[in-house]
Amino acid sequence: MYNILQRMKREWEGELYLMKAKLVGMIMAALAAAVSLSGCQSSTETVLSDSGDNDYQEIELVMAVNGTDIQIDTRVADKFSELVEEASGGKVTVAVYPNDQLAGGNATKGVEMIAVGGADLAAYATCTMAALDNQLSIATIPWSFDSYQEAREIIDSTGGEYYAGILEKKGITYLGSFHNGFRQLTNSKREVKTPEDIKGLKIRVPGSEVYMDFFRTLKVDPVAMSWSEVFTAIQQGTIDGQENGVSITESAKMDEIQPYMTLWNYSYENDLFVANTDIWNALEPKTRELLQEKATEACEWGRDTVEKEEKEMVQGFIDGGMKVTELTDEELADFKAAVESSRQKFIKKYGEEACSAFQIK
């Protein structure tokens, strides 16, 4: 009952905040114009003025995420909120809105809102953030990373810097990254171990051009479809399967309607933890320092959680009767050879700077 009431409260608050966000966006635009003309200090900065030399300012920030209450982006945002409130003694709080409540359930609008200041903070998958710039999808090129550890190391160095540079131009400040997960395959037809096995299957994929081209190259029929429609489409036989991270596959109960899973880590997906730059810069330095520290801590917690829980979830699939096939290096080599032309096309498209940042060859 408590969870239901909390969800109802969040939805109600989300509707109110969406109206407020539109007003804030117009006010911020007007303030920016006024500041540009007068050279005066930003009004936003004045509102967020010092509440004490040795204390945090009192402020509530709003954070938007796309996932449901149990998905990793919402869980990381909730963890972040807890860490910030505890460390600030309740002075700084973060209200988390899952399911893109602030954008009426539309992830693309949610991304646009963080860019214009309709939300203060957000966490979105790179394939969703790519609505702002396609270059943000660079790390989703198939088999860019061999492991989660490799992804951590590269993103925490040159990869993160690359994300930050792109986002800065969009009015967004990059605070960190956490795993959404390596993408796996499930289907209702047959065990998939070779490129021949996957031919002809109708697989739901996000609209990302990288994913669509990857599956077309494998002679699969990729179907772009809203995630909310996938469960029913599989039940009705409209599509044969889907590809996603283990945690999303589990939370969507795909194991109940999909008897086959192939573990092939074909693409790495991560969520970017970000802030609207104008709002971020208007915060007191001590508050920004706290938020950055706790964002990093929450991202690390999210990474550890995904890695730990994936193993447990896969074992749960097996125990429940699902046929889980983990491809060998030799089997993976056949798939990699089959899609090499697709990989090279996107490597050329994204360019040397992007590929160098993520060590993609």
Side-chain angles (χ1 to χ4, degrees), residues 171-308:
I172 296 174
T173 296
Y174 171 81
L175 302 180
S177 166
F178 56 93
H179 306 319
N180 194 18
F182 278 111
R183 303 182 80 90
Q184 318 297 355
L185 175 74
T186 68
N187 84 95
S188 303
K189 296 291 188 181
R190 53 185 173 267
E191 181 181 16
V192 172
K193 297 181 68 176
T194 70
E196 191 65 30
D197 296 331
I198 201 173
K199 285 183 180 179
L201 292 179
K202 292 183 178 180
I203 303 296
R204 181 270 177 184
V205 301
S208 164
E209 61 178 352
V210 174
Y211 300 146
M212 295 291 282
D213 193 80
F214 170 82
F215 281 102
R216 288 194 182 111
T217 303
L218 288 173
K219 310 301 181 187
V220 172
D221 183 5
V223 180
M225 177 185 295
S226 172
W227 180 242
S228 62
E229 301 172 4
V230 173
F231 193 94
T232 301
I234 290 173
Q235 285 182 313
Q236 295 176 344
T238 306
I239 57 175
D240 301 317
Q242 60 89 38
E243 53 74 58
N244 236 311
V246 169
S247 63
I248 295 177
T249 297
E250 192 270 345
S251 65
K253 302 187 184 303
M254 287 295 156
D255 54 307
E256 296 181 3
I257 56 172
Q258 298 265 265
Y260 302 102
M261 168 175 263
T262 299
L263 300 178
W264 57 347
N265 290 357
Y266 93 90
S267 179
Y268 173 81
E269 183 67 88
N270 58 320
D271 285 86
L272 303 184
F273 197 124
V274 298
N276 174 272
T277 299
D278 287 341
I279 294 170
W280 180 257
N281 290 339
L283 296 171
E284 296 173 5
K286 185 177 180 181
T287 300
R288 287 201 302 270
E289 183 179 348
L290 170 70
L291 293 172
Q292 178 62 80
E293 177 186 331
K294 298 310 175 185
T296 300
E297 187 175 342
C299 286
E300 287 303 295
W301 177 88
R303 287 169 165 177
D304 293 341
T305 298
V306 167
E307 293 178 30
K308 174 179 179 293

Side-chain angles (χ1 to χ4, degrees), residues 30-76:
L31 287 173
V35 170
S36 176
L37 292 171
S38 67
C40 295
Q41 183 183 30
S42 166
S43 294
T44 303
E45 198 167 342
T46 301
V47 170
L48 301 179
S49 62
D50 213 329
S51 64
D53 292 339
N54 299 314
D55 207 354
Y56 292 104
Q57 65 189 104
E58 291 191 39
I59 186 170
E60 180 180 79
L61 299 170
V62 167
M63 183 166 184
V65 291
N66 176 245
T68 64
D69 289 354
I70 61 174
Q71 286 177 221
I72 191 62
D73 52 353
T74 304
R75 294 170 67 192
V76 167

Side-chain angles (χ1 to χ4, degrees), residues 141-142 213 217 336-351 355 360-361:
I141 290 178
D213 193 80
T217 303
K336 291 178 180 179
V339 299
E340 184 59 20
S341 62
S342 178
R343 287 190 79 255
Q344 291 303 320
K345 177 169 71 174
F346 284 105
I347 287 173
K348 182 178 180 180
K349 177 176 180 175
Y350 286 121
C355 291
I360 297 173
K361 300 177 181 178

